[in-house]
């Protein structure tokens, strides 16, 4: 049976380390605050926002909440972001996605000051990642790197296959694995013979958004499988993009859903917030 990569445990370790760091910074007179903006009341977004505020409280930084009604105009939202950009007491700004359909997500991301973009979505931060310069890294891919490193899984020299090419997970994930000296293949919906591509992976990272799509036929024996997906099934239980029951007996190591990648995203958001305090 595969080694279970415990995201809950590893994310807790990271938050405990950050808590100590925040206490040290406070002794030097450095305080931190994260502004969290939510437009509308999408239930999933509300859960994420609540978890982010809780994590802020745990590590010892202030969170300022801006809960805006669905009918807020794009201009009103952009004005709020620009005000927060200018506020020296705010280190990080996070606008919970998705936003209502009458708003341009890209424009919102571009308006957040790159040095306060703790989500790591601004083109300036993405560009810094491409050329290997300092910037904020998208939280989910950064969390996957920590899961691998803290679970003792060697990355350098390994063949990593990333399934999915989104700007939030797939692309930055591939770049981070390259930085860690893996050989990287990116697969997507137009990849010919996806199964055989995935079977070549020493490390298979799946972010496709399709429940239980990756079955045993996609996985090489002994491979490390990282499941970024999360879906609620008809029976109310959560599952990922990987069929855990089928894949776990073949894999060398695997992340569960829930309790794998999910908790790491918030831990790495907190990491970016603390980094914003020190820059």
């Amino acid at each position: 049976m595969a080694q279970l990569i415990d995201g809950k445990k590893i994310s807790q370790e990271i938050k405990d380390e950050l808590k100590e760091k925040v206490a040290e910074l406070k002794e030097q007179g450095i305080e931190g605050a994260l502004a969290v903006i939510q437009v509308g009341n999408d239930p999933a977004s509300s859960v994420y926002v609540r978890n982010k505020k809780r994590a802020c409280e745990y590590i010892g930084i202030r969170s300022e909440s801006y809960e805006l009604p669905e009918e807020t105009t794009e201009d009103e939202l952009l004005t709020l972001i620009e005000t927060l950009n200018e506020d020296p007491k705010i280190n990080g700004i996070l606008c919970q996605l998705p936003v209502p359909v009458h708003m341009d997500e890209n424009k919102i991301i571009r308006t957040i000051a790159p040095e306060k973009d703790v989500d790591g979505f601004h083109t300036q931060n993405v560009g810094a990642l491409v050329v290997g310069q300092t910037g904020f890294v998208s939280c989910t891919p950064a969390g996957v790197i920590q899961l691998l490193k803290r679970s003792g899984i060697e990355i350098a020299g390994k063949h990593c296959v990333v399934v999915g090419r989104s700007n939030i997970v797939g692309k930055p994930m591939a770049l981070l694995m390259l930085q860690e000296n893996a050989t990287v293949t990116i697969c997507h919906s137009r990849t010919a013979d996806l199964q055989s591509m995935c079977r070549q992976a020493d490390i298979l990272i799946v972010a496709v958004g399709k429940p239980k799509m990756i079955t045993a036929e996609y996985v090489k024996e002994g491979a490390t499988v990282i499941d970024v997906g999360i879906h609620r099934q008809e029976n109310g239980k959560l599952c990922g993009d990987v069929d855990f029951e089928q894949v776990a007996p073949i894999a060398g190591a695997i992340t569960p859903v829930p309790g794998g990648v999910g908790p790491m995203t918030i831990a790495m958001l907190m990491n970016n917030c603390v980094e914003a305090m020190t820059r």
Side-chain angles (χ1 to χ4, degrees), residues 23-162:
E24 285 166 19
L25 288 167
K26 280 183 177 173
E27 281 173 18
Q28 297 163 38
I30 303 167
E31 295 278 344
L34 171 68
V36 183
I37 305 166
Q38 182 183 357
V39 188
N41 52 4
D42 174 73
S45 291
S46 297
V47 171
Y48 288 131
V49 165
R50 200 160 55 241
N51 289 342
K52 286 165 185 174
K53 289 185 202 162
R54 210 175 280 153
C56 284
E57 200 180 322
Y58 183 80
I59 70 162
I61 64 174
R62 200 162 48 83
S63 66
E64 283 192 9
S65 197
Y66 298 87
E67 284 155 17
L68 309 178
E70 187 93 17
E71 57 275 12
T72 301
T73 66
E74 183 176 271
D75 282 346
E76 285 170 331
L77 175 58
L78 297 179
T79 302
L80 169 62
I81 290 170
E82 279 159 0
T83 304
L84 294 168
N85 282 342
E86 298 300 318
D87 187 341
K89 294 193 292 296
I90 298 291
N91 312 89
I93 301 168
L94 182 152
C95 185
Q96 184 64 43
L97 303 176
V99 286
V101 287
H102 64 275
M103 295 182 174
D104 178 349
E105 214 165 86
N106 289 322
K107 197 190 256 186
I108 291 160
I109 290 166
R110 281 198 308 272
T111 304
I112 295 171
E115 66 277 10
K116 294 190 179 189
D117 164 44
V118 286
D119 262 332
F121 296 162
H122 193 287
T123 46
Q124 191 172 311
N125 283 319
V126 176
L129 174 61
V130 173
V131 295
Q133 290 177 1
T134 302
F136 290 116
V137 177
S138 187
C139 303
T140 300
V144 170
I145 296 291
Q146 287 299 316
L147 279 179
L148 293 168
K149 287 184 168 179
R150 289 172 185 247
S151 300
I153 292 159
E154 185 68 42
I155 303 174
K158 295 295 170 70
H159 184 194
C160 170
V161 175
V162 179

Side-chain angles (χ1 to χ4, degrees), residues 195-248:
Q195 269 192 26
S196 77
M197 295 298 275
C198 290
R199 272 201 308 272
Q200 294 170 39
D202 302 310
I203 301 171
L204 180 63
I205 301 172
V206 189
V208 284
K210 288 187 181 171
K212 297 189 177 184
M213 180 185 144
I214 301 297
T215 54
E217 299 77 43
Y218 288 78
V219 180
K220 176 171 84 172
E221 189 146 344
T224 296
V225 180
I226 305 289
D227 188 352
V228 180
I230 187 155
H231 315 274
R232 193 168 291 283
Q233 300 174 87
E234 283 173 9
N235 62 8
K237 288 186 176 173
L238 295 172
C239 73
D241 291 347
V242 174
D243 190 325
F244 186 87
E245 281 72 25
Q246 274 202 35
V247 172

